[in-house]
C-alpha cells in the first residue's frame, strides 16, 4: 500500500501513523526499524514490520473476542493496520508476571521471581524525560488522566494479562512482562492502542526459557527475526499462516 497519498500524523521509532479520509480512522504502518536503550541502539531488520503487525493483529483479535476494546479494525496488508484514531495517554503501562529487565536493575528482586498478583508499573512516555517511572498522583497532577481513568486502565490491563497469558501458555510461551499504551476515542472511552509484539513484550519458550523477543536485539545476539517468526508461527492458526505467508514449522 502506498502511504504517500496519506498525510503523516506521527513518525515514531518503529511505526508511522497516517491520516485517512475518516478523521476517526488512521493507518498504523509498522516499519522495520528497531531501537533499544532509549533510542541509542538502532537497526533495520527486514520483515520485522510485517511480522509485528501480524502478531499485533492476532493479539488484538483475541482481546476483542474477550470484550476488550482495541484500536484494531483490520490489516490492510502485512505491515499496514487500519486503526481507530486515539488521543494517546502518555503512559507506558507495564505488567510484570516474572522479574526481568529493568526491574532487576532498579530493585532487589531475584531473577525470574514470579509475581502473583502481577505488578503493574507505569512510566511517563516522554523521550525528553527518558520515560521515568510515574505514580498516580504525578499522572493526575500532570493532567492527562483522572484517578477513575487510571483505575479503568489497571482493570483492563489485568484482564489483557489474564487473556494473553492463558492463550500464550497453550502455545508453549511464557509471558514474563509486556508494555501497552492506551488512548481515548472520540467518545472519551479508554481504548487499547499501539501494538502488542515481540518489540513490546517478553516471550520465553515455556520448556527451555529461550528468549523470543527484542531482548535478543538488546543483547546484540543473532536470530532476532527467527525468534519473531517463531512467535508468529506458534500463535497463528494454519489458515492465518497461509494468508500471511508465514513459513516456519
Ligand atoms: N490508534 C492510535 N492513534 C493515534 N496514535 C497512536 C495510535 N496507536 C499508537 N499511536 C502512537 O503512534 C506512535 C507510534 O510510534 P512508535 O511506537 O513507533 O514510536 P514511539 O512510541 O515514539 O517510540 P517507542 O515505542 O520506541 O517508545 C506512538 O506515539 C503511539 O503513542
Ligand atoms: Mg512506541
Amino acid at each position: 500500500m502506498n502511504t504517500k497519498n496519506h498525510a503523516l500524523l506521527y513518525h515514531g521509532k518503529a511505526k508511522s501513523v497516517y491520516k485517512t479520509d475518516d478523521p476517526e480512522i488512521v493507518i498504523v504502518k509498522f516499519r522495520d526499524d528497531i531501537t533499544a536503550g532509549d533510542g541509542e541502539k538502532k537497526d533495520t531488520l527486514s520483515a520485522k514490520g510485517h511480522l509485528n503487525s501480524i502478531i499485533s493483529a492476532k493479539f488484538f483479535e483475541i482481546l476483542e473476542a474477550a470484550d476488550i476494546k482495541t484500536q484494531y479494525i483490520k490489516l490492510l496488508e502485512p505491515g499496514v493496520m487500519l486503526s481507530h484514531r486515539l488521543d494517546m495517554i502518555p503512559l507506558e503501562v507495564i505488567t510484570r508476571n516474572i522479574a526481568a529487565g529493568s526491574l532487576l536493575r532498579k530493585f532487589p528482586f531475584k531473577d525470574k521471581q514470579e509475581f502473583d498478583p502481577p505488578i503493574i508499573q507505569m512510566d511517563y512516555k516522554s523521550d525528553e524525560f527518558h520515560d521515568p517511572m510515574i505514580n498516580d498522583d504525578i499522572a493526575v497532577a500532570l493532567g492527562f488522566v483522572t484517578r477513575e481513568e487510571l483505575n479503568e486502565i489497571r482493570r483492563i490491563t489485568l484482564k489483557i494479562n489474564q487473556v494473553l497469558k492463558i492463550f500464550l501458555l497453550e502455545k508453549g510461551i511464557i509471558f514474563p512482562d509486556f508494555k501497552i499504551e492506551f488512548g481515548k476515542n472520540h467518545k472519551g472511552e479508554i481504548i487499547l492502542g499501539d501494538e502488542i509484539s515481540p518489540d513490546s513484550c517478553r516471550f520465553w519458550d515455556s520448556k527451555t526459557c529461550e528468549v523470543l523477543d527484542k531482548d535478543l536485539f538488546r543483547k546484540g545476539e543473532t536470530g532476532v527475526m527467527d525468534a519473531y517468526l517463531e512467535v508468529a508461527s506458534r500463535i497463528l492458526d494454519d489458515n492465518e499462516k497461509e494468508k500471511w505467508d508465514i513459513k516456519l514449522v
Side-chain angles (χ1 to χ4, degrees):
M1 174 174 161
N2 192 347
T3 42
K4 285 205 183 81
N5 301 326
H6 296 270
L8 182 68
L9 272 176
Y10 186 82
H11 184 86
K13 293 196 275 289
K15 301 185 296 296
S16 303
V17 182
Y18 295 89
K19 281 186 180 174
T20 68
D21 293 341
D22 184 334
E24 298 310 331
I25 294 178
V26 293
I27 288 167
V28 178
K29 169 103 175 127
F30 289 69
R31 307 197 315 273
D32 288 342
D33 302 317
I34 186 163
T35 68
D38 206 12
E40 268 169 32
K41 194 173 155 76
K42 282 187 199 159
D43 207 344
T44 306
L45 298 177
S46 173
K48 192 200 67 141
H50 284 194
L51 284 169
N52 274 2
S53 71
I54 292 165
I55 293 168
S56 289
K58 176 71 181 182
F59 287 136
F60 285 144
E61 283 170 8
I62 289 165
L63 295 173
E64 289 279 350
D67 273 338
I68 293 160
K69 289 187 177 173
T70 79
Q71 69 177 14
Y72 179 69
I73 301 173
K74 67 172 174 175
L75 269 193
L76 296 173
E77 63 186 63
V80 183
M81 186 181 290
L82 200 64
S83 306
H84 297 290
R85 186 190 64 78
L86 304 174
D87 286 326
M88 297 307 287
I89 299 166
L91 288 175
E92 301 202 329
V93 182
I94 301 155
T95 305
R96 297 180 179 278
N97 295 304
I98 301 177
S102 65
L103 197 72
L104 293 173
R105 292 195 295 277
K106 289 177 184 157
F107 301 100
F109 290 115
K110 288 198 192 76
D111 191 19
K112 297 198 171 70
Q113 179 175 339
E114 291 183 27
F115 303 120
D116 188 13
I119 291 174
I120 294 184
Q121 168 198 334
M122 296 197 194
D123 290 352
Y124 172 44
K125 186 174 159 64
S126 162
D127 286 340
E128 187 188 352
F129 291 92
H130 307 285
D131 304 337
M133 202 181 285
I134 196 169
N135 68 16
D136 287 21
D137 285 358
I138 296 173
V140 171
L142 283 169
F144 51 71
V145 80
T146 65
R147 258 173 233 282
E148 293 67 36
E149 286 166 345
L150 284 170
N151 292 338
E152 171 78 348
I153 286 171
R154 282 207 178 79
R155 186 189 65 76
I156 304 170
T157 299
L158 287 173
K159 190 166 173 190
I160 292 169
N161 183 45
Q162 205 52 30
V163 170
L164 294 187
K165 209 167 69 171
I166 292 167
F167 169 79
L168 284 164
L169 206 51
E170 283 169 6
K171 311 291 179 187
I173 296 174
I174 352 185
F175 200 27
D177 56 47
F178 62 101
K179 185 268 294 180
I180 48 181
E181 294 177 29
F182 292 91
K184 286 185 226 171
N185 67 8
H186 61 290
K187 293 186 212 157
E189 295 168 312
I190 305 270
I191 310 283
L192 176 66
D194 208 49
E195 70 179 295
I196 304 182
S197 77
D199 273 10
S200 59
C201 303
R202 283 198 168 84
F203 297 125
W204 296 346
D205 179 89
S206 58
K207 288 207 182 80
T208 63
C209 277
E210 182 193 352
V211 172
L212 300 170
D213 58 61
K214 193 164 100 171
D215 267 347
L216 294 169
F217 174 73
R218 289 189 187 97
K219 291 172 187 161
E221 290 178 24
T222 55
V224 184
M225 275 312 99
D226 291 340
Y228 284 39
L229 192 57
E230 175 73 28
V231 171
S233 163
R234 288 200 200 180
I235 67 169
L236 298 180
D237 61 36
D238 288 343
N239 291 338
E240 292 163 334
K241 275 189 249 192
E242 199 179 308
K243 181 175 177 190
W244 302 121
D245 202 18
I246 300 291
K247 290 196 195 80
L248 183 102
V249 183

